[in-house]
Amino acid sequence: MSAFKEHPLRDVLANELHTRAADEITAPAQISQFAVLTGEDNNRAIEHLAELCARMGASAPTTGANHFTTDLGGLVVRFERHTEFCSYAFVRRGRTGDMPFERPPLTAVPDDWLATLPGEVLAGVHIVLEAQDEPEHSPEELSLRHFSGNVLIAAAVGGGAAKAYSDLRLDADRFIRFLVRDVNLLPSHAGRTVQRLIEMNTYRALALLALPQAREASPVLREIDLALADIAQRMADPTNLEKDADLLRELSSLTARVEAIATTNSYRFAASRAYYQLVVRRLEDLRQGRLGERLTFSAFMDRRLTPAMTTCKSVADRTEALSTRGSRVVSLLRTRVEVDLQAQNQRLLESMDHRARLQLRLQQAVEGLSVVAIGYYMVGLVGYLAKGLKGAGVLEVSDTVVTGLAVPVVLLVVYLGLKRAKKAMGLEEGE
């Protein structure tokens, strides 16, 4: 044991490389697989699988396990837990018979257990792996025997080590059928081929989950696009008398709708792109070759799946473009509103300045009257004082003369006194 300190996730990260290794399968064999959409809270799936193992006398998975494989008495079950779905595969080895799809491995699983699966089944396949020594039929006969006469998609896979056939349609029990004929398959190669077909179908279904949302969002985006263009045109029209506040309110409502669509669909669209890349990779890993004039799985997916993914990408791009355009128009309108507000504020300041000047003039007029009024009362006091002094014989001149001479002096004193008081309070004109 090394003395250095290890990261707590070292074992988890190392084991992750081996968690999805394909089981070795020897032809002949039958496989039933289905994917259950559970969402990210899929702990109930482990408990449900443990119930099946207990009923069939097998060891149960540990709590929190992401991968689990066990033998249920001739029926091998392989469980995988992913981010938003769980995958169940049931493998039965041995001769498949003339009509191998009539009794797939899933018929050995209790119906009541299947009925209580946590989540909803999104994709499922029945795969028959035929041995080399079993009778080989022509594609036309295979179509009639196993695929209800439907047009087959076929390819030589694994560089010619096997032949794979399917109509990629749901059969009567709601599963897609694949017939794989062993030409020169090693057990490990057979396991990888089966796993790639399963993952191609599962990821194909998961990728297409975004298509209904894209179709639902497309006409709404078109409506918002037209409304946004109309608002931009009304903004540019100099004869338009609508208030900017009304336009901004309408524009904010549109941008909110765009953001709601983006928020609702962003996860699904991103997941769809990732799943589509996995489908493309699994198709490449199959190393397909043509069988006659029939479409290969890659050609079929390119014709049917790629346009759907292009639609989803187009809607995602339109949503992002509308969000960007809406933000630009909102920014432009807000700038215009701010300019108008600044002009209004400027006019308000000018009006306040004008009122302040009028108030100052009124104040100056009132101050003049105040000097006169205060001077009048003070002159009256001087007159009373002069009369008293005259009556006491102290003052020899007339009290009227004293009062008259006191008028300019009193007015000057009052004026200087008020001016000094104003200066002390910082009310001098210009300050």
Side-chain angles (χ1 to χ4, degrees), residues 141-303:
E141 188 174 356
L142 289 176
S143 174
L144 294 173
R145 288 170 62 90
H146 306 306
F147 301 99
S148 304
N150 296 322
V151 176
L152 291 184
I153 297 96
V157 297
K163 299 176 182 179
Y165 303 89
S166 178
D167 59 355
L168 295 179
R169 296 177 182 271
L170 295 175
D171 60 12
D173 59 356
R174 312 296 293 167
F175 277 67
I176 292 176
R177 295 179 176 183
F178 284 90
L179 178 65
V180 181
R181 172 114 186 145
D182 182 6
V183 175
N184 187 25
L185 281 174
L186 296 174
S188 59
H189 195 181
R192 289 195 298 272
T193 299
V194 167
Q195 185 179 39
R196 287 163 184 164
L197 290 173
I198 288 174
E199 291 180 350
M200 176 195 70
N201 180 68
T202 300
Y203 294 139
R204 181 267 316 163
L206 288 163
L208 285 173
L209 273 177
L211 184 58
Q213 293 182 217
R215 288 173 173 169
E216 182 180 354
S218 184
V220 180
L221 292 175
R222 176 59 177 167
E223 176 188 345
I224 294 175
D225 192 6
L226 294 175
L228 187 60
D230 178 64
I231 290 177
Q233 186 175 7
R234 283 149 56 193
M235 285 175 56
D237 186 2
T239 63
N240 183 36
L241 300 179
E242 287 185 271
K243 294 181 179 179
D244 288 342
D246 295 335
L247 289 175
L248 185 59
R249 190 180 304 108
E250 185 177 349
L251 185 57
S252 298
S253 176
L254 288 179
T255 55
R257 291 177 64 188
V258 173
E259 293 305 317
I261 293 174
T263 303
T264 302
N265 296 334
S266 59
Y267 173 80
R268 191 73 268 156
F269 285 165
S272 177
R273 289 192 295 270
Y275 288 131
Y276 176 61
Q277 292 302 318
L278 289 173
V279 172
V280 172
R281 183 59 184 271
R282 295 302 179 267
L283 289 170
E284 292 174 351
D285 292 341
L286 283 172
R287 294 184 295 146
Q288 301 169 66
R290 293 181 66 88
L291 288 179
E293 298 301 319
R294 301 184 182 277
L295 285 177
T296 63
F297 295 102
S298 292
F300 181 85
M301 292 295 179
D302 187 56
R303 290 188 180 186

Side-chain angles (χ1 to χ4, degrees), residues 109-127:
V109 180
D111 289 340
D112 59 337
W113 183 83
L114 292 172
T116 56
L117 279 168
E120 300 171 327
V121 174
L122 180 67
V125 294
H126 293 315
I127 300 178

